[in-house]
Amino acid sequence: MKGKNKLRRQELTDGRELWIQEVFYTLQGEGPFSGQPSVFVRTCGCNLKCFWCDTDFESSTWRPSLDELLETIENIRPSFCDLIVITGGEPFRQNIAPLVETLLGRGLRVQIETNGTLWIELPESERLTIVCSPKTPGLHPDIVPRISAYKYVLSVDEVDAEDGLPARSTQKENYVMRLFRQKKAVAPIYVMPRDDGDENLNERNRALCADIAMRHGYTLCLQTHKMLALR
Ligand SMILES: C[S@@+](CC[C@H](N)C(=O)[O-])C[C@H]1O[C@@H](n2cnc3c(N)ncnc32)[C@H](O)[C@@H]1O
Ligand SMILES: Nc1nc2[nH]cc(C(=O)O)c2c(=O)[nH]1
Ligand code: SF4
Ligand SMILES: [Mg+2]
């Protein structure tokens, strides 16, 4: 929402009704499951407002029951597609536990895209993958041990010379701030170029990410859905 969204706190309901922006079938365009057919569930609202956020997550009035949401997922999921990606907005702003538990209970894989600042107790499962894209210096302490991979969004002139990771605030332009780093490098790091809506800058951001990935041993990921004009 380009930093224009309202800051919304975590709402801990029973999770039997969620505020949803959209449900759509696509190829995962980012992170460890890039290229995989997946059904995306985009939840509404966020507790942050990144000035470069590329997503609308506030324009929906749809608040389906859990059953209605599950039916919508099933109606568009090809039988070979077992990957459900829960994103947003910030998914942990709402109680997504019943949704996640039901999807796992059906033998599906669940991947969550999160900024890592909130937490809701979720079952441990090797079919549950939490990918955190840090936006702040600190993360919720309970989510850190559950994070499978980090995905840092990089932009030229805003990275740390030491480790190549973000050194600027995501909430306030041109404000020096080192975002979260793992104490011990246990989870893999993906670097992804920031889409600043300007092809020249995006080209530079892509070159920056390639260089930093090769210099530090991170994995490059691109928002391939944007190259393919996929949702
Ligand atoms: C829209 S966010 C929603 C999930 C969660 N709030 C988060 O930030 O991870 C989904 C992904 O898009 C990334 N993203 C948002 N705006 C972007 C931009 N302008 N360029 C590149 N990635 C962007 C985020 O870093 C995150 O990895
Ligand atoms: N195809 C596709 N892949 C994605 N990976 C993360 C996305 C997101 O907005 O969370 C996203 C998205 O919006 N579309
Ligand atoms: S935390 Fe995620 S959804 Fe929220 S504003 Fe930042 S990038 Fe957008
Ligand atoms: Mg997106």
Side-chain angles (χ1 to χ4, degrees):
M1 292 286 282
K2 294 261 179 267
K4 301 262 185 303
N5 58 289
K6 202 164 154 355
L7 291 174
R8 295 181 190 271
R9 288 177 201 284
Q10 194 177 41
E11 290 165 3
L12 289 185
T13 65
D14 64 5
R16 310 299 304 178
E17 178 186 282
L18 295 170
W19 181 26
I20 300 293
Q21 179 70 31
E22 54 185 345
V23 178
F24 56 101
Y25 176 60
T26 186
L27 295 176
Q28 169 54 290
E30 304 173 15
F33 299 140
S34 283
Q36 293 192 24
S38 21
V39 174
F40 269 68
V41 177
R42 189 181 303 287
T43 62
C44 288
C46 189
N47 62 322
L48 298 180
K49 52 187 213 174
C50 305
F51 64 84
W52 40 261
C53 179
D54 67 358
T55 299
D56 167 18
F57 49 79
E58 290 263 327
S59 60
S60 158
T61 57
W62 188 39
R63 289 178 179 271
S65 67
L66 187 56
D67 289 346
E68 186 187 347
L69 179 55
L70 290 162
E71 193 184 339
T72 306
I73 293 168
E74 278 312 294
N75 286 345
I76 63 169
R77 181 180 71 85
S79 54
F80 57 76
C81 171
D82 70 339
L83 179 59
I84 312 297
V85 179
I86 304 177
T87 185
E90 177 42 47
F92 282 106
R93 216 188 53 78
Q94 300 182 70
N95 181 1
I96 55 171
L99 173 64
V100 172
E101 286 157 9
T102 307
L103 294 170
L104 292 174
R106 293 181 177 184
L108 297 170
R109 289 182 292 148
V110 176
Q111 188 230 305
I112 299 175
E113 302 273 5
T114 178
N115 63 32
T117 58
L118 303 172
W119 179 241
I120 295 258
E121 206 45 51
L122 294 178
E124 306 258 358
S125 164
E126 81 280 356
R127 282 183 287 108
L128 174 58
T129 304
I130 296 176
V131 176
C132 174
S133 181
K135 306 291 180 314
T136 53
L139 299 184
H140 191 293
D142 295 343
I143 200 169
V144 173
R146 302 292 300 274
I147 290 169
S148 317
Y150 289 89
K151 183 176 54 167
Y152 285 93
V153 176
L154 305 185
S155 180
V156 283
D157 307 331
E158 298 193 17
V159 294
D160 179 288
E162 277 292 296
D163 65 6
L165 298 179
R168 288 288 178 287
S169 168
T170 58
Q171 309 298 295
K172 215 169 134 196
E173 285 202 71
N174 302 321
Y175 189 79
V176 174
M177 179 182 280
R178 262 170 77 85
L179 303 190
F180 176 84
R181 266 61 165 183
Q182 298 177 80
K183 287 195 176 44
K184 259 176 79 242
V186 288
I189 290 176
Y190 289 76
V191 287
M192 187 163 80
R194 194 166 91 192
D195 173 2
D196 282 318
D198 162 296
E199 194 35 41
N200 185 293
L201 198 43
N202 288 357
E203 179 64 35
R204 291 178 61 205
N205 290 343
R206 286 194 287 270
L208 171 81
C209 282
D211 175 58
I212 286 174
M214 291 168 75
R215 195 185 294 274
H216 298 281
Y218 306 144
T219 301
L220 171 70
C221 75
L222 304 169
Q223 293 187 296
T224 44
H225 55 293
K226 292 186 177 176
M227 299 172 191
L228 302 163
L230 276 176
R231 250 166 108 177

